[in-house]
Amino acid sequence: MTAPEPDILALDRIAVQESVRLVARAKDADWGRDTPCAGWDLRRLVAHMAAQHHGFAAAARGAGGEAAYWREPEDMSEPGRTYRGAATTALAAFAEPGAIEREFVLPELGATFPGRLAVGFHFVDHVVHAWDVAAALGVGPHLPGHVLDAAVAVARRVPAGPADRGPGFAFAAPLGVPAGSDSLEETLRLLGRDPQRWRPAAPGGPDRRASRKEV
């Protein structure tokens, strides 16, 4: 017997809710922090994440080809509130009857995808972005093992050729995965992040973020 397909909507919800929790931890002084996304401080990263939620929500409703939905919010004066609203919009759109059976237009990937696969992309993207936010804040994300195992399974299927990765694409070129890496580290490395450069600081300890960023 083949194993049943994982509940991608439930997995995505867990990853998104963890990203919301982490973004809510940020204080006013944190929004200018460096992040693992090259050239982006935390405020810009969260703006990008919010845009992705609105874009995917539009795609779930048949309007993914409209560029306006993928634009970053103009008002990021309250990043936590803005992000929470965007995340709620995406989760509500995915939960609508029949949404996951539709075709999603995803302009950044230059194609149309079955809804289940598209939500899988959204899921792994926000596992990685939850880690990005956590890394910027010097903490670790709290994601259950089954969620991380599902994320690495998706990450292994993301195209990794030079025509699919690098500047201007959703993910950087994959990095080597050392033997013994756990699911989170493998996911990050497969999608171009080097977790060794972004070790969370100990509570109350010095900021140990690396000086060089990964895309």
Side-chain angles (χ1 to χ4, degrees):
M1 293 179 60
T2 58
E5 285 192 59
D7 184 344
I8 194 63
L9 291 177
L11 293 167
D12 182 69
R13 189 179 309 113
I14 292 169
V16 170
Q17 288 173 342
E18 174 61 2
S19 73
V20 171
R21 184 190 73 83
L22 287 163
V23 169
R25 289 185 57 132
K27 308 299 183 187
D28 288 346
D30 292 326
W31 297 112
R33 281 179 175 260
D34 200 9
T35 75
C37 296
W40 289 359
D41 62 14
L42 185 57
R43 190 187 304 271
R44 176 67 193 282
L45 170 61
V46 172
H48 165 77
M49 293 162 65
Q52 290 294 298
H53 286 315
H54 284 300
F56 270 86
R61 292 167 173 154
E66 298 181 27
Y69 290 110
W70 297 92
R71 293 182 188 135
E72 295 177 6
E74 293 183 4
D75 183 0
M76 287 296 293
S77 59
E78 295 184 76
R81 181 177 179 180
T82 297
Y83 182 69
R84 184 171 61 252
T88 299
T89 296
L91 294 180
F94 292 168
E96 290 173 1
I100 202 168
E101 280 77 42
R102 298 187 190 118
E103 295 286 308
F104 283 37
V105 177
L106 302 180
E108 286 187 351
L109 299 180
T112 299
F113 297 89
R116 183 174 298 276
L117 181 58
V119 174
F121 294 157
H122 185 266
F123 159 61
V124 76
D125 195 33
H126 285 84
V127 167
V128 173
H129 282 325
W131 178 84
D132 288 334
V133 174
L137 295 175
V139 298
H142 297 158
L143 290 167
H146 76 282
V147 173
L148 297 175
D149 289 344
V152 76
V154 175
R156 288 169 181 161
R157 298 198 297 269
V158 175
D164 305 294
R165 299 290 190 94
F169 290 93
F171 298 110
L175 304 176
V177 180
S181 296
D182 61 21
S183 294
L184 177 58
E185 182 169 3
E186 182 176 350
T187 297
L188 295 171
R189 287 183 171 276
L190 287 174
L191 299 178
R193 302 293 201 274
D194 184 354
Q196 296 300 324
R197 295 183 178 274
W198 287 86
R199 288 297 183 187
D207 184 350
R208 294 183 291 177
R209 293 173 298 143
S211 60
R212 189 174 75 82
K213 293 165 284 187
E214 301 296 326
V215 174

